[in-house]
Amino acid sequence: MTHANQQKSRAEQNLINRNIKIPQSEYDLRRQRLVDQLPEGSVVILPGAVIRYRNNDADYAFRQDSDFYYLTGFAEEEAWLVLTSGRKGADSHLFCLPKDRAQETWTGFRVGQEQAIAEYNMSCAYTLDQLDNRLPELIDGAQHLFYPMQGDDALSRRIQDWCQQLRQKARSGAVAPEQHHNVLPLIHELRLIKSDAELVIMRHAAEISAEAHCKAMQVCEPEMMEYQLEAEYLYHFMRSGSRAPAYNTIVGGGANGCVLHYVENNQPLNAGDLVLIDAGCELQHYAADITRTFPVSGRFSPEQSALYQVVLEAQYAAIDQVQVGLDCHAPHRAALNVLCQGLLDLGLLGGTLDEVVESESYRRFYMHGTSHWLGLDVHDAGRYKIEGQSRPLQVGMVLTIEPGLYIAPDDDSVDVCWRGIGIRIEDNVIVTEQGPEVITTGVPKNIAEIEALMAGEGIAISA
């Protein structure tokens, strides 16, 4: 590709990224849907995220709280949202940082109160220093108070202080809400079903992430450091419009691939080993989550191929179970049966399939679930069970399918040829009326395609 074409490609990518966004009307609708679920006389209080400091005056990159962002699209730190039920629907009150030219010189542009009302369709917007005075007024007379209950003692104390101020004014007619509820389960159920606009962003995040995995396969070679391969992902994510990975990237060469949450990424990649890479970008707060395992030298060994094929067949079986009306744990059961039968066929386990599944003897090789929800968080919000039963899959849900096998390097119960092999294959799947839509097909996962890509051959990637 010529330099001119590269520049054109980047310009086109930037244009795509600018045009993909959630419309403000959708944030308005989300707030209304939340309020519609509440009993009469309710108020919602939701704080946003705050700056976290790395050391001295250097802070970590700020990311808005996912629940707050879901309801507002507002990305500045220290903001608060208060929802009250008004005659025309949900009244949205935003508390945020004020315009301050001197401070903005140091830390950047602030939206301020006027633009918060105009651009984010807030009913009212206040400065943060008005919070302690305005909050008691907004909750006065409410019967139900909804806010996040997740062990945040500072938030609970502050809310209790506001309620106590109202109780002290009881003779003047002030009434403090006496019934307090956790708002998070209600927001999380809304987040579980993705809108068309959300799915557009998630497909694009998946595409960027898949391209990064392809790049890594093409540049991987023995004696590279794990972090050098990680750098390929970070470069491609940002070049394509993502400002950050959705989670800490895992680059596990050899036996490091058997460590599920390995993130040190500081070891050399050795010839003959596999490398397991779990990496996905975040785009406009939405996550992609892909895992691929491939040979550092470009060719699978017989043992690696045998285990890999078992995992791949398990993944295909699991994806087939992503169907409307089937329960959300059906993919795991399907994958588990294939994995266990494969372990039996390879002589890594003994007994019958039923015995292996019932006794869970497979767990030393496969110790995690096959799926999790995906969205604003990589392990996204939403319950997996309703009244003790696995919930049925619905159109608009998005989940990962990620079976794996991990043979510990010190497992002397198996032949040495199997030890230290870790394999996981993960894709992102949307539940649709027509069946599973795999949105991460842009990166190969069958053995022939991986080896061809690593050999520099042009390939047509299959689903």
Side-chain angles (χ1 to χ4, degrees), residues 76-129:
E76 287 185 11
E77 69 272 15
E78 299 185 42
W80 292 65
L81 176 69
V82 180
L83 297 178
T84 58
S85 182
R87 293 179 181 177
K88 298 182 180 180
D91 286 339
S92 303
H93 308 260
L94 184 72
F95 293 81
C96 60
L97 294 168
K99 296 293 293 180
D100 184 330
R101 181 166 186 147
Q103 190 60 39
E104 288 178 63
T105 299
W106 289 93
T107 58
F109 173 80
R110 292 178 179 178
V111 171
Q113 284 61 54
E114 289 185 9
Q115 279 190 261
I117 293 173
E119 294 185 15
Y120 294 88
N121 203 21
M122 295 291 157
S123 307
C124 302
Y126 311 96
T127 58
L128 282 174
D129 60 8

Side-chain angles (χ1 to χ4, degrees), residues 14-273:
N14 291 337
L15 181 61
I16 291 171
N17 292 334
R18 286 196 296 269
N19 290 334
I20 296 177
K21 62 181 181 180
I22 306 291
Q24 186 54 50
S25 58
E26 184 163 320
Y27 294 108
D28 301 343
L29 180 60
R30 292 171 183 177
R31 295 195 294 272
Q32 186 61 55
R33 284 175 174 168
L34 175 60
V35 169
D36 287 344
Q37 298 181 62
L38 307 182
E40 187 176 347
S42 295
V43 174
V44 175
I45 299 175
L46 187 67
V50 298
I51 292 288
R52 303 293 182 185
Y53 288 93
R54 186 174 185 269
N55 50 45
N56 293 330
D57 62 348
D59 48 72
Y60 288 102
F62 177 76
R63 183 191 186 276
Q64 185 60 277
D65 173 81
S66 293
D67 295 316
F68 190 93
Y69 190 83
Y70 179 78
L71 292 176
T72 64
F74 190 80
E76 287 185 11
E77 69 272 15
E78 299 185 42
W80 292 65
L81 176 69
V82 180
L83 297 178
T84 58
S85 182
R87 293 179 181 177
K88 298 182 180 180
D91 286 339
S92 303
H93 308 260
L94 184 72
F95 293 81
C96 60
L97 294 168
K99 296 293 293 180
D100 184 330
R101 181 166 186 147
Q103 190 60 39
E104 288 178 63
T105 299
W106 289 93
T107 58
F109 173 80
R110 292 178 179 178
V111 171
Q113 284 61 54
E114 289 185 9
Q115 279 190 261
I117 293 173
E119 294 185 15
Y120 294 88
N121 203 21
M122 295 291 157
S123 307
C124 302
Y126 311 96
T127 58
L128 282 174
D129 60 8
Q130 296 176 283
L131 186 64
D132 286 323
N133 289 330
R134 289 287 186 178
L135 248 296
E137 297 175 6
L138 291 172
I139 66 175
D140 185 8
Q143 299 174 353
H144 303 270
L145 195 57
F146 287 81
Y147 57 91
M149 294 182 178
Q150 52 184 2
D152 188 341
D153 293 335
L155 175 61
S156 296
R157 286 194 299 269
R158 200 164 186 184
I159 288 175
Q160 291 301 331
D161 286 344
W162 291 327
C163 290
Q164 185 59 27
Q165 290 180 41
L166 291 176
R167 295 187 187 103
Q168 292 171 352
K169 298 177 181 178
R171 291 185 179 181
S172 302
V175 178
E178 296 298 334
Q179 298 188 55
H180 293 202
H181 314 270
N182 188 5
V183 73
L184 296 183
L186 299 176
I187 300 174
H188 292 173
E189 286 299 296
L190 291 174
R191 284 175 52 186
L192 184 55
I193 307 298
K194 273 59 179 182
S195 68
D196 290 343
E198 289 178 290
L199 293 177
V200 168
I201 295 174
M202 294 187 70
R203 289 186 184 99
H204 195 43
E207 179 184 354
I208 292 171
S209 302
E211 290 169 351
H213 278 270
C214 289
K215 295 290 185 184
M217 291 181 185
Q218 291 172 313
V219 304
C220 182
E221 61 183 13
E223 304 310 316
M224 284 185 75
M225 299 298 289
E226 292 167 336
Y227 56 73
Q228 290 174 317
L229 208 49
E230 178 184 11
E232 294 292 330
Y233 286 85
L234 300 181
Y235 170 74
H236 187 76
F237 290 168
M238 291 194 181
R239 183 185 181 279
S240 302
S242 165
R243 289 292 290 119
Y247 51 94
N248 290 329
T249 300
I250 296 169
V251 182
N256 292 335
C258 297
V259 181
L260 299 183
H261 291 165
Y262 175 80
V263 293
E264 286 81 2
N265 301 350
N266 60 4
Q267 297 301 305
L269 298 171
N270 298 317
D273 281 348

Side-chain angles (χ1 to χ4, degrees), residues 278-395:
D278 191 335
C281 77
E282 179 174 286
L283 188 66
Q284 297 187 33
H285 288 74
Y286 287 85
D289 185 6
I290 304 175
T291 306
R292 289 294 186 266
T293 309
F294 54 90
V296 172
S297 302
R299 300 283 293 182
F300 288 86
S301 73
E303 291 80 14
Q304 292 166 352
S305 294
L307 276 177
Y308 187 94
Q309 195 61 36
V310 170
V311 177
L312 183 60
E313 293 301 328
Q315 202 214 26
Y316 284 139
I319 290 172
D320 284 344
Q321 296 297 301
V322 181
Q323 306 286 346
V324 174
L326 294 184
D327 74 76
C328 65
H329 291 104
H332 177 68
R333 294 192 298 271
L336 190 59
N337 283 335
V338 175
L339 292 173
C340 289
Q341 187 61 57
L343 291 168
L344 287 167
D345 294 342
L346 294 173
L348 293 168
L349 288 176
T352 66
L353 178 60
D354 288 343
E355 289 170 346
V356 168
V357 172
E358 185 174 352
S359 68
E360 298 188 344
S361 60
Y362 63 84
R363 287 190 64 83
R364 77 175 194 268
F365 302 130
Y366 183 50
M367 61 293 293
H368 61 78
T370 302
S371 299
H372 59 76
W373 306 130
L374 187 67
L376 284 170
D377 296 315
V378 69
H379 284 248
D380 206 35
R383 290 179 292 171
Y384 292 89
K385 290 190 174 183
I386 304 293
E387 297 180 351
Q389 300 297 315
S390 297
R391 73 185 307 157
L393 294 172
Q394 297 173 249
V395 172

Side-chain angles (χ1 to χ4, degrees), residues 397-430:
M397 291 178 171
V398 185
L399 64 160
T400 64
I401 300 293
E402 51 176 315
L405 287 174
Y406 315 90
I407 316 298
D410 59 352
D411 188 344
D412 57 11
S413 70
V414 302
D415 191 278
V416 67
C417 67
W418 302 109
R419 297 177 199 170
I421 299 177
I423 298 167
R424 183 164 65 252
I425 307 170
E426 178 180 21
D427 282 297
N428 305 161
V429 186
I430 301 172

